[in-house]
Amino acid sequence: MKPVKNAFRAMLAFAALLSANLVHAAESAVAAVVPTVIVAPAEPPLNWHAIVMFLIFVAITLVITYWAATRTKNATDFYAAGRGITGLQNGMAIAGDYMSAASFLGIAALVYMNGFYGLIFSVGWLVGWPIILFLIAERLRNLGKYTYGDVVSFRLSQGPVRTMAAIGSLIVVIWYLIGQAVGAGQLLHTLVPQMSYQLSIVIVGALIITYVTFGGMKATTWVQIIKAGLLLGGATLMAIGVMAHEGFSFAKLFNDAVAAHPKHLEIMKSVVPIGAKANPIESISLGLTLMFGTAGLPHILMRFFTVTDSKAARKSVLYGTCFIGFFYILTFIIGFGAIVLVANNPEYVADISKSVLNLKGGGSMPAVYLSHALGGNLFLGFIAAVAFATILAVVSGLTLAGASALSHDIYARVIMKGKATEKQEVWVSKMSVIGLGILAIFLGIAFEKQNVAYIVALTFSIAACTNFPILVLSIFWRGLTTRGAVLGGYTGIFGSIGLLIIGPTVWTKVLNMGPAIFPYDFPTFVVLPAVLVVAYIASVTDSSESGKKEQAAYDAQMVRAETGLGSEVGASH
């Protein structure tokens, strides 16, 4: 533990001394949240401060990986960090998994452009934590071993249910991975402009394979903790800088923002149309996607298997919710601060005679330019390093979640029917990490020029329509059978993908096929109820002997879920 703490202190000490130019990369990193077409600015000059900071971060994370590798002895260590992570540590790691660079820059950009409207994303994401994760965190820890597939198949048929769960997880992981890989590759390309984007993607992929293959969940957890500390620290400094500029008065901040913004008092309204149309169904569907999609993300759910017991799982949610809530308060201040300090500034605005809001490099730049306005190139460099650390940490968690679905659910439980040894399972997992890393490299290169907004819509919609409802039904509904879980799960997978393809994001904006067949950007409002109805009908009409046994096994499952009797214990502390 001591080498990790020293590494963390060293990183924080170096962070204040170094700088970077982050104009091109931030637009790519946030494209998944703010659906705008990326306009690449001119290639920045070589910045040695940024290069040094990047190398320091990589070196420290490799030290963590070596430390973790020496303590990874079995499958529990590799998948769940020996179940020895404390509630506070796991809460910080959950926050690290959740607070992406896209979220940081994107929400600030939404507030900058629209005022209070930008809070719909932060509120939607945040509300899912206390409601959903307090509801399932303890039961998830008591019922599962390594993946959420352990929970949904606890009393159901292993083969079909785990296969469905693994397919849903892999689709979410792979498509989420593309957006993050593109952002990381663009960022590294910006830090070192002489390095091609393709080579940048290869380097990022190699780092991820190294972290996860050798360090497993221990390395991934500590990379997340460090990244969360850096991001919270950077956002806090920015918010303090804004409030200091405004005399620590929210009234003055809001008055100055209203005066500077071309919409004036309109930015203080709490009800704003979603996109170009005021449609309540669109708003409701977006809210459902944000809330329930979070509780269905495989790399988030995996975090609850790393703690010592169900009490630590509950603490994880408490700490994680506090960190994330604090983070979103900061992004709100940063967004309004950008209106005051960045809008109307010729140094940042593309053409001030046309619009005081349109920034050089695109619409995702308010937080980046605000860091420069507050602290010059040094602070801008720190934000650049934070963005890279953020993306790298998220990709590590995603890769491990995908590898776990392949090795633990598909190989060990479906193919080998539980007869695989721990050594074989871990070997398959490491091979899966290498395969996913290589796949991320190829897909990252292939999607370099694509707008990746629809990718995140796809991942959150599938998570909200497939993983979340089947997980909740398996835990709380006695009547669920294998037939209901499988049919409901595939309804969520194919329904969300199908409606997204014929929806405005893909059909109109990506494929240029004209007006969308399905009128809404997010299909959750339609698909999520359909999944519940299909699962219910398929289960209540299942009169097979196996279905009756599965329903009868619910009592034993509930005892374990509530008490933790028989659950996996911590292997290291």
Side-chain angles (χ1 to χ4, degrees):
M1 192 69 66
K2 188 174 181 181
V4 178
K5 292 181 178 179
N6 291 337
F8 187 38
R9 295 192 186 102
M11 176 175 285
L12 292 177
F14 276 112
L17 303 176
L18 306 170
S19 63
N21 189 326
L22 183 63
V23 175
H24 186 195
E27 181 70 19
S28 298
V30 79
V33 168
V34 183
T36 56
V37 177
I38 298 172
V39 179
E43 186 177 85
L46 185 65
N47 191 319
W48 285 105
H49 294 292
I51 295 174
V52 171
M53 189 167 198
F54 163 72
L55 293 176
I56 290 173
F57 173 77
V58 172
I60 292 175
T61 52
L62 288 176
V63 169
I64 293 173
T65 302
Y66 173 78
W67 167 82
T70 60
R71 289 160 175 78
T72 300
K73 307 297 184 183
N74 52 41
T76 301
D77 292 334
F78 184 82
Y79 290 121
R83 308 193 201 282
I85 304 299
T86 67
L88 176 59
Q89 292 167 349
N90 199 47
M92 195 70 162
I94 287 174
D97 261 321
Y98 196 70
M99 300 183 304
S100 66
S103 177
F104 168 49
L105 300 175
I107 292 175
L110 287 170
V111 174
Y112 171 81
M113 296 299 296
N114 302 285
F116 269 91
Y117 159 71
L119 290 181
I120 189 173
F121 284 88
S122 58
V123 170
W125 277 323
L126 184 60
V127 166
W129 283 96
I131 293 178
I132 306 303
L133 295 183
F134 269 123
L135 191 66
I136 66 175
E138 179 179 355
R139 295 169 177 84
L140 199 72
R141 172 62 179 82
N142 288 337
L143 293 174
K145 189 174 183 180
Y146 302 135
T147 69
Y148 110 97
D150 290 330
V151 179
V152 297
S153 65
F154 188 85
R155 60 186 171 91
L156 305 179
S157 179
Q158 296 289 306
V161 174
R162 282 188 183 272
T163 301
M164 178 276 298
I167 290 174
S169 296
L170 284 170
I171 292 175
V172 171
V173 165
I174 290 173
W175 286 97
Y176 210 147
L177 203 59
I178 294 173
Q180 299 294 333
V182 169
Q186 291 285 9
L187 177 57
L188 184 55
H189 175 59
T190 299
L191 295 177
V192 189
Q194 289 73 9
M195 184 183 298
S196 69
Y197 170 82
Q198 290 76 12
L199 180 58
S200 301
I201 284 286
V202 171
I203 291 176
V204 170
L207 286 173
I208 297 304
I209 290 173
T210 301
Y211 294 155
V212 182
T213 302
F214 294 101
M217 181 58 85
K218 276 190 172 73
T220 300
T221 297
W222 281 101
V223 169
Q224 289 286 18
I225 291 172
I226 290 175
K227 163 258 177 148
L230 288 174
L231 187 57
L232 285 171
T236 300
L237 290 176
M238 292 180 71
I240 291 174
V242 168
M243 295 308 298
H245 182 271
E246 297 299 300
F248 293 95
S249 169
F250 280 103
K252 186 175 186 301
L253 173 64
F254 294 145
N255 287 332
D256 290 348
V258 168
H261 203 286
K263 295 181 181 178
H264 300 299
L265 278 174
E266 290 292 315
I267 67 172
M268 304 305 292
K269 289 185 176 180
S270 58
V271 179
V272 180
I274 301 297
K277 53 188 180 297
N279 192 315
I281 294 180
E282 189 81 72
S283 303
I284 294 170
S285 192
L286 173 60
L288 292 174
T289 301
L290 297 177
M291 287 190 295
F292 299 147
T294 299
L297 294 176
H299 65 295
I300 297 292
L301 297 177
M302 274 192 71
R303 295 239 56 93
F304 294 105
F305 303 122
T306 67
V307 292
T308 53
D309 51 32
S310 58
K311 181 180 179 181
R314 293 194 300 272
K315 287 184 177 180
S316 297
V317 180
L318 174 63
Y319 289 125
T321 303
C322 291
F323 289 134
I324 295 166
F326 175 64
F327 170 74
Y328 282 133
I329 292 173
L330 299 178
T331 58
F332 177 69
I333 296 173
I334 290 168
F336 272 94
I339 297 174
V340 176
L341 295 171
V342 175
N344 298 288
N345 191 328
E347 185 177 359
Y348 309 124
V349 176
D351 189 344
I352 201 166
S353 64
K354 294 183 179 180
S355 173
V356 299
L357 293 179
N358 291 342
L359 303 178
K360 298 174 183 178
S364 310
M365 304 304 295
V368 177
Y369 286 136
L370 179 62
S371 67
H372 184 267
L374 292 171
N377 285 331
L378 286 174
F379 199 31
L380 182 65
F382 176 70
I383 296 301
V386 167
F388 183 80
T390 294
I391 296 171
L392 213 56
V394 172
V395 172
S396 297
L398 287 167
T399 305
L400 184 56
S404 301
L406 285 170
S407 60
H408 181 65
D409 289 326
I410 298 297
Y411 172 75
R413 293 296 182 268
V414 177
I415 297 177
M416 298 298 292
K417 302 186 184 302
K419 297 180 181 178
T421 64
E422 280 197 352
K423 186 176 181 180
Q424 290 173 326
E425 188 174 335
V426 171
W427 183 85
V428 171
S429 185
K430 292 182 177 183
M431 293 302 103
S432 300
V433 168
I434 296 174
L436 286 170
I438 295 173
L439 180 63
I441 291 171
F442 282 109
L443 292 177
I445 293 173
F447 279 78
E448 176 187 4
K449 302 299 183 182
Q450 296 297 317
N451 185 332
V452 295
Y454 75 97
I455 295 176
V456 166
L458 177 66
T459 58
F460 268 80
S461 292
I462 293 176
C465 296
T466 306
N467 298 352
F468 166 73
I470 301 304
L471 178 63
V472 170
L473 288 175
S474 68
I475 293 176
F476 294 103
W477 186 39
R478 177 190 302 273
L480 184 69
T481 66
T482 295
R483 189 170 77 173
V486 171
L487 291 178
Y490 284 121
T491 298
I493 293 174
F494 293 115
S496 55
I497 293 176
L499 292 184
L500 278 164
I501 290 176
I502 62 175
T505 304
V506 178
W507 191 262
T508 302
K509 298 176 184 177
V510 177
L511 300 178
N512 296 317
M513 298 293 286
I517 300 173
F518 181 73
Y520 306 115
D521 286 316
F522 297 94
T524 310
F525 181 80
V526 175
V527 179
L528 180 57
V531 172
L532 297 175
V533 170
V534 170
Y536 175 79
I537 293 176
S539 294
V540 297
T541 58
D542 186 358
S543 58
S544 65
E545 286 300 317
S546 60
K548 294 177 181 178
K549 291 179 180 178
E550 291 163 355
Q551 292 169 341
Y554 177 79
D555 290 328
Q557 174 186 298
M558 182 54 66
V559 170
R560 174 161 165 172
E562 295 290 348
T563 66
L565 294 173
S567 61
E568 299 290 327
V569 297
S572 61
H573 301 276

